[in-house]
Amino acid sequence: MEKVFELESNAEILIDLRKDLRDLLRQAGWDGKSMDKIVLSVDEALTNVIRHAYAGVRGPIRMTFRDSEEKTEITIEDHGKKFDPTLVPEPKLPREEPGGLGVHLIRTIMDELIYDKNFLEGNRLRMIKRKPRK
Amino acid sequence: MKIQMTNQGDVSVVELEGELDFHSSPELRSRLGELASKQAPKILIDLKKVGYMDSSGIATFVEAFQKTKRYHGRLILADLTPAVRGIFEIAKLESIFEIATDQDEAMNRFAGKN
């Protein structure tokens, strides 16, 4: 199963996108708890694009959802300023100052977080969650 | 996100409904900031109807907590839904915040009953 979303970097899109993503994850066979966590990871990654890559300016985002028997993979591409979340240092927890938790949440939830350095037009981030063996 | 604010005695009760994310958190941040600037002594945030929260929501609560702590106020979060509790667990924030099962327990704590 594959679905491509053409989006605009605007925080207002997040609520509807989460709804669409929950539907896709349900179809992919994820349970409620895992679904909530994957949705959170994607939300955090998109928020980083809106905040850091585009810094509040509107710009295109392409999100590709791919699902197979072994894994669910979500790829997010933008044409904004370079922002590599894999270089963000791990925060010291519990963190008593606001901010700095988004990437930590993604790393904790997803099995792989891959930033494509060869994607020259902006940023391409792949997030992979492997399915439990049956 | 719906934000309803009432007073029960000296407790400022903030009831939230909806999804707390990068889009909705600035309004909540501003409303909690108003309470902190008035040095509200006791703030109860009811999360019973919050089905989703991201790190922007957490940052909002951490900021409100730090502000109330500065003037020796007290902030209690009540009735966390499983999705919200999950994010507190991942961020290991349960040790930072005072968390009550529901509004009644939070009110009893403010009143010094437990």
Side-chain angles (χ1 to χ4, degrees), chain A residues 18 22 36-37 39-41 43-44 47 101 105 109, chain B residues 1 16 18-22 24-25 28 45-47 49-62 77 80-91 93 97 99:
Chain A
R18 287 196 295 267
R22 282 187 196 108
D36 285 344
K37 287 182 174 175
V39 168
L40 176 63
S41 299
D43 180 286
E44 295 291 347
T47 297
L101 279 173
L105 293 171
I109 294 164
Chain B
M1 153 144 290
L16 306 178
E19 302 199 354
L20 185 52
D21 65 3
F22 183 56
S24 55
S25 58
L28 178 63
I45 303 177
D46 189 321
L47 295 163
K49 293 180 181 165
V50 177
Y52 177 83
M53 185 173 87
D54 70 4
S55 66
S56 315
I58 283 198
T60 304
F61 293 139
V62 169
L77 301 176
L80 276 61
T81 55
V84 171
R85 190 170 280 280
I87 182 170
F88 271 79
E89 282 169 10
I90 297 173
L93 281 166
F97 286 100
I99 296 173

Side-chain angles (χ1 to χ4, degrees), chain A residues 24-25 50 60 82 85 88 90 98 119:
Chain A
L24 288 170
L25 290 164
I50 298 167
K82 289 280 181 196
V88 173
E90 273 294 314
F119 186 73

Side-chain angles (χ1 to χ4, degrees), chain A residues 84-98:
Chain A
D84 181 353
T86 63
L87 298 179
V88 173
E90 273 294 314
K92 190 172 167 271
L93 298 178
R95 192 168 163 77
E96 293 190 46
E97 294 300 320

